[in-house]
Amino acid sequence: MDDLRDKYIGLIAGAGDEATLEELRVQAVGKKGEISLKMRELGKMTPEERQVAGPALNALKDEINSALSAKKAALEDAALDERLRGEWLDVTLPGRTGRHGSIHPISQVTEEVTAIFADMGFSVAEGPQIDSDWYNFDALNIPGHHPARAEMDTFYMHRAEGDNRPPHVLRTHTSPVQIRSMEKHGAPIRIIAPGRVYRADYDQTHTPMFHQVEGLAIDTDISMANLKWVLEEFVKAYFEVDDVELRFRASHFPFTEPSAEVDIRCSWEGGTLKVGEGDDWLEILGSGMVHPKVLQNAGVDPEIYQGFAFGVGIDRIAMLKYGIPDLRAFFDSDLRWLRHYGFSALDVPTLHGGLST
Ligand code: DAH
């Protein structure tokens, strides 16, 4: 027994890692280990011998077990010390200069748009990115069979097996925020709702996640003329030009009547976009007078109230204003791209301080 003790206490002390320690444990006190085998021999002894050998073997087993756990703790401590030495960090080092982060063009443009509309009395509203098909479609006068549902390449969420309720969707546009805002605050109301939207689409000008800003103005005396003025003011301020010509093209959206798509006069001479001059037209948004059914669905009385809504692609107007050719790069998180197209974190866009400078 003394030999066994000396052998294992020595081996345990010399073990260099936890794997070796585990092997030793199995060899010594495992089911078929040396000590366990010795314990089996107790059965063949006389009661007198057993009375001496039994407790002694148990004590030896305990001793080896505690040596194993002590060594295990020591190895863990040593590993931690080693790591602490390796991952040492001098928090008193000076910061790296010329390496600051930048504001992403999407954030910048969202701030610019918000500043412009805030100046015209619009507040900012938000809604969930996962929404029910009621808010994303039905309430906006897009019933189940409507082709707009298919056109939008909607991402549907899974329902659990046996749950037959209509699935939630990743919102395909910011228009559901119209409904939520009117439900919550009633009319009159004047909001913009910037945010992420999702559609299954991917090429140079489409990514499965992109950004829109919705606009909504409801009151007792709002007309298409107000819509036109607001959009003109917006486009001038956003593109930072004194004058701009807008073209309202008759269109169709289920949630507006009448509906118009809005183009701005521009030129592409020399490959760069100039807004306000030239012979080209650039489509920038969809808009119209909010459909009476939409007002009704949101709890607003269409006999008393009416108003306009519009939806602009934030990524699209960011590409146009800042000459960014490929939308996909927006979401690649490539530091070189971010340094090139990013904005200083300290220049917050305001109307008086300059939007982009
Ligand atoms: N929701 C439309 C889309 O994503 C854009 C839109 C068009 C929004 C007209 C509006 C609107 O509020 O009046 O294609």
Side-chain angles (χ1 to χ4, degrees), residues 43-214:
K44 295 181 214 144
M45 293 179 187
T46 64
E48 292 74 29
E49 287 171 326
R50 202 179 304 140
Q51 244 172 21
V52 182
L57 271 174
N58 269 326
L60 176 57
K61 189 177 174 186
D62 287 347
E63 192 181 340
I64 289 181
N65 271 328
S66 15
L68 283 165
S69 34
K71 183 66 183 181
K72 185 162 184 255
L75 284 174
E76 282 168 359
D77 281 352
L80 181 61
D81 281 343
E82 184 64 30
R83 229 185 108 191
L84 287 173
R85 260 193 305 280
E87 295 176 12
W88 182 82
L89 187 72
D90 184 355
V91 293
T92 67
L93 276 177
R96 294 193 181 115
T97 53
R99 268 259 199 138
H100 32 78
S102 61
I103 299 294
H104 194 283
I106 296 294
S107 307
Q108 168 75 17
V109 167
T110 304
E111 289 300 322
E112 291 182 20
V113 170
T114 304
I116 296 167
F117 281 105
D119 192 56
M120 294 192 271
F122 287 74
S123 48
V124 174
E126 281 183 316
Q129 291 174 40
I130 300 173
D131 215 340
S132 65
D133 67 340
W134 164 258
Y135 282 108
N136 196 77
F137 295 122
D138 299 82
L140 291 161
N141 197 30
I142 314 174
H145 55 81
H146 199 282
R149 290 206 184 198
E151 276 163 29
M152 279 194 173
D153 304 307
T154 310
F155 287 112
Y156 290 90
M157 310 294 291
H158 276 298
R159 281 265 183 225
E161 196 86 36
D163 186 339
N164 292 323
R165 289 174 298 169
H168 276 53
V169 300
L170 291 182
R171 68 176 180 193
T172 57
H173 50 181
T174 44
S175 302
V177 187
Q178 289 187 31
I179 307 293
R180 289 180 173 278
S181 302
M182 286 190 280
E183 267 180 356
K184 200 161 164 204
H185 303 290
I189 190 170
R190 217 185 295 178
I191 52 127
I192 57 164
R196 293 184 168 183
V197 299
Y198 302 83
R199 291 181 203 177
D201 208 352
Y202 188 70
D203 61 31
Q204 195 178 344
T205 52
H206 298 89
T207 49
M209 185 279 299
F210 60 106
H211 301 79
Q212 290 186 333
V213 58
E214 193 78 12

Side-chain angles (χ1 to χ4, degrees), residues 242-262:
D242 292 331
D243 218 359
V244 70
E245 198 181 333
L246 294 191
R247 181 171 77 174
F248 279 57
R249 235 178 333 102
S251 182
H252 176 79
F253 300 105
F255 30 89
T256 44
E257 182 58 39
S259 304
E261 279 173 293
V262 175

